[in-house]
């Protein structure tokens, strides 16, 4: 216990010290929100990766989908690496950086407002962002607190309060730059931590080959009657597995807190290096998490099952149960690992939310004259507001799950995140992507996509039994919302009045700007 506490104190001390050190970079809006657009490839790539992967992935998704799909859940990690990281950087990175600087936008709603010259569009996007980032944040507290309960015996509420206060301190003090530097430190911990944990867990079951053989012998008639289903290439349910891959991989393209990382990239060289670094990071962390979760059923002797076949305490209890038998030093590493992942994601979420409410909702609408100093102060205040609201929801959700007599009625981490990701990516992915690439995208198409994605996920949350069976899962419904948006935006754009040609040409002029580069970057015709 002394070792665990000592490691935690060192970790917290470093995070706060970085926040205080970066105060000088957070004196204006650009510095507080984007680090002055001077963030290099390593910091940007690690900020992207650590914002992507959190306790939601390690505890919630890895546990639930590893239990459902066995070793095939590793496909989710591979999708995160190649679709959610590699393709996202290649397709969005450069264009996002160029156009957002050209339009002088610091947030995704601000991009929509400037790209389509529509203040209502900016306000609508900011409201959707604020509302649906809250359940995502609540899911972070949930996953982290379960591990703290296992490792320290601390109450769920105490864990939430400690995490909220510490994250708030360094985000408020140092803004984006403090978040980026801390993300880099936390990312290093995640890389080494996940490798160490996988090795220890497999060793406890006799090694990789022995663990695979053990998994092949596991049967569950409620999931599949095929022998060895949890050891197979695509698992017992390939269709629903595909839904998870799509939501968690393609979904990042439309998440404000993820796309915002591209706004801050320093240079062309940073884009190229960041693409590689981010992909490798995702391969190790996401691939490792889902690979580890795939062996969850080998620890069924430590997991009590309800009559429905769901583990008592929910799917979120699987990973803590798998780790409970590890040596104290490794449990301490796991706690720091998940704490790193969660605090980095939480800091990204609160920064995205506070900046969008201040810059896109209050400034110019409710508060007409807001200078730089007032904007930064307001964003810091909303960091506090967002943390308090999300923490309160996390406590309420946890108490509700304890009161639920049927474990099926409890809301698991994966469901909370599914609603959040589905609504945000379903609303924003298609308008943002087409807005960067297609001149014919219209304001009306953006509105239809906004409403379709957010309303669909709200209805899925409130009236789930009324949906077709395949869409009753928030994860499948979220994936459907994203794919539908990719069809809705071009169809509505072609059926509605064309945008002002001068407005469009002014937005896209940034791509045609001539720049000089050294010959080592571009061959001449000489």
């Amino acid at each position: 216990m002394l070792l665990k506490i000592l490691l935690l104190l060192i970790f917290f001390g470093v995070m706060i010290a970085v926040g205080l050190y970066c105060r000088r970079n957070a004196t204006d809006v650009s510095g507080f929100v984007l680090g002055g657009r001077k963030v290099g490839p390593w910091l940007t790539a690690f900020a992207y990766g650590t914002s992507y992967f959190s306790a939601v992935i390690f505890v919630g998704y890895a546990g639930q989908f590893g239990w459902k799909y066995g070793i095939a859940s590793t496909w989710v990690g591979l999708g995160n690496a190649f679709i959610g990281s590699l393709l996202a950087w290649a397709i969005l990175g450069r264009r996002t950086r160029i156009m957002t600087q050209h339009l002088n936008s610091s947030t995704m709603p601000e991009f929509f407002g400037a790209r389509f010259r529509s203040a209502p569009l900016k306000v609508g996007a900011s409201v959707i962002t604020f509302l649906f980032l809250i359940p995502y944040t609540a899911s972070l507290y949930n996953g982290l607190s379960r591990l703290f309960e296992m490792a320290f015996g601390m109450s769920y509420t105490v864990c939430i309060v400690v995490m909220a206060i510490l994250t708030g301190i360094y985000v408020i003090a140092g803004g984006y730059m403090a978040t980026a530097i801390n993300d880099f430190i936390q990312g290093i911990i995640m890389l080494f931590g996940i490798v160490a944990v996988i090795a220890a867990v497999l060793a406890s079951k006799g090694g990789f080959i022995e663990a695979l053989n053990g998994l092949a012998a596991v049967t569950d008639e409620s999931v599949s009657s095929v022998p060895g289903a949890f050891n197979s290439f695509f698992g017992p349910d390939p269709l629903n597995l595909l839904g998870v891959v799509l939501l968690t991989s393609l979904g990042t393209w439309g998440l404000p807190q993820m796309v915002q990382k591209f706004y801050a990239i320093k240079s062309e060289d940073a884009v190229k290096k960041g693409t590689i670094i981010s992909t490798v990071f995702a391969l190790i962390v996401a691939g490792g998490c889902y690979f580890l979760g795939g062996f969850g059923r080998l620890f069924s002797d430590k997991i009590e099952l309800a009559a429905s076949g769901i583990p008592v305490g929910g799917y979120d209890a699987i990973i803590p149960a798998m780790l409970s038998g590890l040596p104290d030093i490794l449990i301490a590493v796991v706690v720091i690992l998940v704490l790193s992942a969660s605090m980095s994601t939480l800091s990204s979420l609160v920064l995205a939310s506070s900046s969008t409410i201040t810059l896109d909702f209050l400034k110019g609408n409710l508060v007409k004259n807001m200078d730089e100093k007032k904007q930064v102060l307001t964003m810091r205040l909303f960091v506090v507001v967002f943390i308090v609201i999300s923490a309160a929801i996390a406590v309420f959700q946890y108490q509700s799950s304890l009161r639920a007599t049927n474990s099926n009625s409890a809301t698991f981490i994966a469901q909370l995140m599914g609603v959040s990701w589905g609504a945000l990516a379903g609303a924003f992915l298609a308008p943002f992507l087409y807005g960067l690439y297609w001149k014919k995208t219209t304001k009306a198409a953006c509105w239809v996509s906004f409403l379709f994605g957010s309303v669909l996920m709200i209805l899925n949350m409130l009236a789930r039994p009324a949906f077709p069976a395949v869409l009753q899962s928030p994860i499948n419904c979220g994936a459907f919302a994203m794919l539908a948006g990719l069809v809705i935006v071009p169809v509505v754009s072609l059926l509605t009045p064309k945008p002002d040609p001068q407005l469009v040409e002014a937005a896209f002029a940034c791509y045609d700007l001539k720049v000089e580069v050294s010959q080592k970057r571009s061959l001449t015709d000489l």
Side-chain angles (χ1 to χ4, degrees):
M1 184 61 70
L2 181 63
L3 176 64
K4 295 174 190 174
I5 293 174
L6 180 62
L7 286 175
L8 278 179
L9 290 176
I10 293 172
F11 176 81
F12 292 148
V14 171
M15 298 301 105
I16 293 174
V18 168
L20 296 176
Y21 172 77
C22 292
R23 281 182 300 174
R24 66 176 185 270
N25 295 311
T27 55
D28 58 14
V29 172
S30 178
F32 189 81
V33 179
L34 299 175
R37 297 186 191 264
K38 297 177 181 178
V39 185
W42 285 91
L43 291 184
T44 302
F46 272 68
Y48 185 90
T50 54
S51 297
Y52 196 166
F53 311 116
S54 63
V56 173
I57 301 295
F58 188 78
V59 177
Y61 271 31
Q64 177 166 339
F65 301 127
W67 185 269
K68 285 185 174 182
Y69 309 122
I71 199 67
S73 63
T74 307
W75 281 109
V76 184
L78 296 177
N80 293 174
F82 293 110
I83 300 174
S85 297
L86 179 63
L87 283 181
W89 276 75
I91 294 174
L92 299 179
R94 180 184 294 102
R95 281 193 171 239
T96 299
R97 174 64 172 81
I98 294 171
M99 187 174 279
T100 56
Q101 184 175 24
H102 175 65
L103 298 175
N104 194 29
S105 56
S106 303
T107 65
M108 183 178 277
E110 199 170 20
F111 166 82
F112 287 125
R115 167 68 176 82
F116 298 98
R117 294 282 177 87
S118 172
L121 200 65
K122 180 174 75 169
V123 172
S126 69
V127 172
I128 293 171
T129 300
F130 186 79
L131 289 178
F132 287 101
L133 283 181
I134 290 175
Y136 187 11
T137 310
S139 67
L140 293 179
Y141 291 120
N142 191 331
L144 181 67
S145 299
R146 286 181 180 271
L147 280 181
F148 263 75
E149 283 182 314
M150 180 267 289
F152 294 95
M154 292 173 62
S155 74
Y156 183 86
T157 303
V158 171
C159 296
I160 289 176
V161 171
V162 171
M163 179 180 172
I165 290 174
L166 291 169
T167 305
I169 288 173
Y170 79 75
V171 175
I172 291 170
Y176 183 85
M177 188 58 74
T179 300
I181 294 174
N182 277 332
D183 285 351
F184 180 75
I185 297 170
Q186 292 159 351
I188 296 295
I189 296 171
M190 291 167 66
L191 287 173
F192 286 99
I194 192 64
V195 172
V197 169
I198 291 172
V201 169
L202 291 181
S204 71
K205 293 299 178 181
F208 175 57
I209 300 300
E210 192 62 32
L212 277 180
N213 292 335
L215 200 60
V218 174
T219 57
D220 186 343
E221 292 293 331
S222 65
V223 177
S224 175
S225 59
V226 179
F230 299 104
N231 192 30
S232 62
F233 197 66
F234 290 116
D237 190 0
L239 181 61
N240 281 312
L241 177 61
L242 178 62
V244 179
V245 173
L246 286 175
L247 179 68
T248 62
S249 302
L250 192 60
T252 60
W253 296 30
L255 297 181
Q257 76 276 13
M258 299 298 296
V259 173
Q260 198 167 3
K261 301 296 184 291
F262 299 136
Y263 290 32
I265 299 174
K266 183 178 180 180
S267 64
E268 171 69 20
D269 187 55
V271 173
K272 294 177 180 178
K273 290 180 179 178
T275 303
I276 299 170
I277 297 166
S278 178
T279 304
V280 173
F281 183 90
L283 270 175
I284 296 172
V285 175
C289 285
Y290 288 107
F291 176 76
L292 175 67
F295 294 97
R297 287 182 178 265
L298 296 183
F299 295 82
S300 55
D301 56 322
K302 298 181 179 181
I303 302 170
E304 183 183 354
L305 297 180
S308 60
I310 296 175
V312 173
Y315 294 112
D316 306 338
I318 294 172
I319 295 295
M322 292 175 66
L323 304 176
S324 60
L326 296 180
D328 284 345
I329 181 65
L330 275 178
I331 289 180
V333 169
V334 170
V335 171
I336 300 297
L337 158 67
V338 180
L339 184 64
S340 298
S342 299
M343 289 184 70
S344 59
T345 305
L346 179 61
S347 64
S348 177
L349 293 174
V350 298
L351 192 59
S353 182
S354 64
S355 61
T356 196
I357 284 294
T358 302
L359 302 177
D360 308 323
F361 187 75
L362 295 179
K363 180 187 173 185
N365 296 304
L366 299 182
V367 183
K368 297 299 181 183
N369 298 315
M370 185 180 281
D371 58 26
E372 288 267 334
K373 188 175 181 180
K374 286 183 180 178
Q375 290 175 48
V376 174
L377 176 60
T378 304
M379 283 188 281
R380 286 181 164 131
L381 290 175
F382 271 105
V383 167
V384 176
V385 171
F386 186 78
I387 286 178
V388 170
I389 292 174
S390 56
I393 290 175
V395 173
F396 175 77
Q397 182 271 328
Y398 178 69
Q399 296 298 329
S400 298
S401 68
L402 290 180
R403 290 192 297 268
T405 54
N406 181 357
S407 59
N408 279 324
S409 64
T411 303
F412 305 126
I413 291 175
Q415 278 65 50
L416 279 174
M417 182 175 167
V419 170
S420 176
W421 277 42
L424 290 168
F428 296 148
L429 188 156
F432 186 76
L433 179 63
Y434 285 114
L436 291 175
Y437 277 89
W438 194 40
K439 293 182 179 181
K440 295 182 180 180
T441 309
T442 65
K443 180 170 57 178
C446 293
W447 275 119
V448 173
S449 182
F450 286 6
L451 292 172
F452 180 83
S454 55
V455 172
L456 180 70
M457 294 311 298
I458 291 173
L459 291 175
N460 180 267
M461 185 169 55
L462 298 177
R464 193 161 294 155
F467 278 67
V470 70
L471 295 182
Q472 289 185 9
S473 162
I475 293 152
N476 288 348
C477 192
F480 171 75
M482 290 188 303
L483 296 177
L486 293 173
V487 176
I488 288 172
V489 169
V491 170
V492 174
S493 294
L494 293 175
L495 296 176
T496 52
K498 295 181 180 180
D500 182 353
Q502 290 184 334
L503 184 155
V504 173
E505 291 305 322
F508 278 78
C510 56
Y511 295 144
D512 298 323
L513 184 67
K514 302 294 188 247
V515 296
E516 289 187 6
V517 296
S518 60
Q519 189 163 280
K520 67 181 179 181
R521 296 184 185 277
S522 178
L523 293 174
T524 68
D525 293 329
L526 296 179

